[in-house]
């Protein structure tokens, strides 16, 4: 005859004493109560028991089975209760009636940068214009020399509304209306929220801000454009920033440029914020295409002009060292609170 019932009971309680995790309780259950378990195994001794004692022996084994089962259940319940108490003690308690820990409200970093850029351009004689977020195809594309089916439309994956209107994909959508409103000569900037059906990453959002600028007058050339871009960047950063100008294609300017800024997050070495290139596309620009001036009612014999489309959200990232553009739309007060002014 193997282990006795008493020895098995003692051994079980020693094991139960050591068990503390869900898996070990389950192991114990299988070890003692499973088909090949040790308590079940006691029944195999039945043959060695005198026939008149078998009934009593069977009842004792069943009682032990029940005892083992209940002891394991009790220990599991105890462990759950302890874990719950631990979690309650460790969890921050929220008391909604307490005053906020944020000392005062703050402007969003994009608002701060926007106001700064507005001030710089206002001091150089530019007016600040507002424009719709829902626009029509004509203003967003056709008036900008992007006819239907032009491949340049693919660059801006557009959210169309069921009535044929669309969410503005770029602030250039206001160019035509502003030219028509003021005529030439004209200096205006117009900040605005833009929407594109983009996959998001550290430097792309589906909702972001741009600031458009146009200057139209007699004898406006690329030199004027470069002067205004340089002045704006050195005022915003209050230091020399490395920029590069390279050719860029946009149907509404000719010639067109991409103005990139050396990534302020990695110092130009390459990181996720600049897609590992060390440069961030910040402010495409160029000389306004004659077709766009004509659509805006401007006399192209007399006037020329430049336009730029500054990535305001990216400028805020570079200015404040924000590594991930998605933080700016997150509404996370803890990270935005540091910009209190
Ligand atoms: C344009 O939107 C043109 N309308 C800009 C322009 C205006 C060119 C006037 C010439 C004359 P682009 O798609 O490259 O171009 O966007 C301009 C800037 O907006 C980018 O350099 C970038 O800084 C910002 N931008 C574009 N897409 C996103 C995005 N998904 N998330 C964040 N910023 C973006």
């Amino acid at each position: 005859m193997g282990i006795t019932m008493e020895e098995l009971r003692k051994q079980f309680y020693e094991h139960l004493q050591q068990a503390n995790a869900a898996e070990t309780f389950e192991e114990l259950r299988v070890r003692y109560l499973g088909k090949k378990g040790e308590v079940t195994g006691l029944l195999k001794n039945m043959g060695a028991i005198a026939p008149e004692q078998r009934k009593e022996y069977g009842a004792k084994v069943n009682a032990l089975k029940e005892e083992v089962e209940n002891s394991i259940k009790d220990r599991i319940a105890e462990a759950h209760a302890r874990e719950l108490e631990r979690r309650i003690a460790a969890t921050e308690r929220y008391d909604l009636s307490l005053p906020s820990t944020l000392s005062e409200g703050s402007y969003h970093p994009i608002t701060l940068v926007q106001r700064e850029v507005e001030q710089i351009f206002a001091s150089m004689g530019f007016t600040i214009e507002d424009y719709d977020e829902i626009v029509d195809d004509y203003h967003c594309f056709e008036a900008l020399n992007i006819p239907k089916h032009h491949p340049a439309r693919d660059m801006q994956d557009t959210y169309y509304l069921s009535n044929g209107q669309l969410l503005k994909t770029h602030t250039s959508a206001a160019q035509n209306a502003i030219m028509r409103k003021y005529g030439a000569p004209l200096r205006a900037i117009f900040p605005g929220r833009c929407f594109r059906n983009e996959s998001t990453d550290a430097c792309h959002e589906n909702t972001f801000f741009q600031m458009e600028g146009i200057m139209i007058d007699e004898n406006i050339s690329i030199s004027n454009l470069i002067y205004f871009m340089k002045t704006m960047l050195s005022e915003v950063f209050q230091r020399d920033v490395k920029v590069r100008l390279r050719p860029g294609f946009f149907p509404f300017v000719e010639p067109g440029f991409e103005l990139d800024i050396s990534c302020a997050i990695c110092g130009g070495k390459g990181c996720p914020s600049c897609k590992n290139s060390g440069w961030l596309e910040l402010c495409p620009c160029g000389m306004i295409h004659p077709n766009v001036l004509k659509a805006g009612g401007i006399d192209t014999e007399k006037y020329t002009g430049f336009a730029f489309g500054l990535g305001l959200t990216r400028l805020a990232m570079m200015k404040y060292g924000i590594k991930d553009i998605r933080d700016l739309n997150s509404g996370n007060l803890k990270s935005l609170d540091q910009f209190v002014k």
Side-chain angles (χ1 to χ4, degrees):
M1 192 159 160
I3 190 166
T4 67
M5 213 178 292
E6 254 336 288
E7 284 164 348
L8 190 57
R9 177 180 276 113
K10 199 166 161 252
Q11 176 195 298
F12 166 71
Y13 280 113
E14 275 166 15
H15 283 154
L16 187 62
Q17 193 66 36
Q18 290 152 17
N20 51 14
E23 308 86 68
T24 33
F25 290 128
E26 180 55 19
E27 271 167 29
L28 274 190
R29 207 188 55 73
V30 174
R31 174 168 178 176
Y32 286 92
L33 302 176
K35 265 193 193 155
K36 294 182 184 163
E38 300 199 31
V39 177
T40 326
L42 288 175
L43 293 174
K44 290 183 191 143
N45 297 336
M46 202 70 105
I49 307 284
E52 65 278 10
Q53 289 173 0
R54 280 185 192 156
K55 196 172 168 203
E56 193 191 339
Y57 180 81
K60 277 187 180 166
V61 174
N62 279 338
L64 179 61
K65 239 176 152 177
E66 211 168 297
E67 184 181 334
V68 166
E69 205 166 307
N70 289 338
S71 304
I72 294 177
K73 270 191 199 151
D74 288 351
R75 283 295 307 276
I76 291 176
E78 269 169 34
H80 276 163
R82 265 203 312 277
E83 172 61 12
L84 197 62
E85 266 169 32
R86 189 193 63 73
R87 276 166 52 191
I88 290 171
T91 309
E92 267 180 62
R93 305 276 186 96
Y94 291 105
D95 182 346
L96 293 177
S97 64
L98 287 176
S100 160
T101 51
L102 299 176
S103 50
E104 52 183 296
S106 70
Y107 286 113
H108 194 280
I110 295 174
T111 307
L112 294 174
V113 169
Q114 178 183 324
R115 291 191 174 176
E116 212 168 318
V117 178
E118 282 175 358
Q119 261 175 18
I120 296 163
F121 278 99
S123 74
M124 297 189 288
F126 284 69
T127 62
I128 301 159
E129 308 294 331
D130 199 9
Y131 195 63
D132 305 337
E133 289 183 346
I134 297 177
V135 297
D136 58 21
D137 189 277
Y138 176 77
H139 286 89
C140 201
F141 299 120
E142 294 210 21
L144 292 166
N145 207 24
I146 314 177
K148 288 205 165 53
H149 311 299
H150 192 289
R153 289 193 179 207
D154 294 345
M155 304 293 289
Q156 304 184 356
D157 200 349
T158 308
Y159 293 109
Y160 286 94
L161 308 183
S162 50
N163 65 2
Q165 288 189 298
L166 51 99
L167 299 183
K168 155 172 101 182
T169 54
H170 55 173
T171 41
S172 306
Q175 281 194 18
N176 180 270
I178 287 165
M179 286 179 204
R180 292 225 158 253
K181 184 170 173 193
Y182 295 107
L186 165 62
R187 294 179 188 203
I189 52 169
F190 26 107
R193 199 194 315 253
C194 305
F195 308 85
R196 293 183 196 176
N197 184 19
E198 300 244 12
S199 346
T200 59
D201 60 27
C203 57
H204 289 88
E205 255 292 11
N206 48 30
T207 304
F208 56 95
F209 284 81
Q210 288 184 345
M211 166 135 13
E212 192 89 355
I214 49 177
M215 178 170 184
I216 300 170
D217 209 330
E218 293 177 36
N219 301 318
I220 296 293
S221 70
I222 296 173
S223 319
N224 300 107
L225 167 63
I226 293 174
Y227 167 79
F228 281 101
M229 294 296 93
K230 273 191 167 166
T231 308
M232 183 262 296
L233 289 174
S234 60
E235 288 284 324
V236 169
F237 287 96
Q238 293 292 315
R239 60 182 161 85
D240 263 352
V241 282
K242 236 165 100 184
V243 293
R244 71 177 183 188
L245 205 61
R246 56 195 169 93
F249 175 72
F250 301 90
F252 35 96
V253 286
E254 180 57 38
F257 306 99
E258 286 283 2
L259 188 148
D260 304 333
I261 182 170
S262 171
C263 178
I265 307 292
C266 61
K269 288 195 203 89
C271 67
S273 310
C274 58
K275 282 211 235 148
N276 292 314
S277 70
W279 295 94
L280 205 66
E281 285 178 10
L282 183 69
C283 187
C285 48
M287 300 304 294
I288 304 174
H289 195 288
N291 288 351
V292 176
L293 290 174
K294 277 183 205 145
I298 308 284
D299 178 357
T300 52
E301 295 295 319
K302 193 169 173 197
Y303 295 107
T304 50
F306 68 73
F308 63 85
L310 171 66
L312 210 52
T313 308
R314 289 206 186 150
L315 186 63
M317 284 174 77
M318 292 297 105
K319 167 133 182 155
Y320 294 112
I322 298 166
K323 289 188 187 141
D324 197 314
I325 196 168
R326 291 164 291 197
D327 287 343
L328 288 162
N329 280 357
S330 69
N332 179 347
L333 292 181
K334 274 194 184 139
S335 64
L336 298 177
D337 191 38
Q338 57 193 290
F339 301 102
V340 172
K341 266 202 174 171

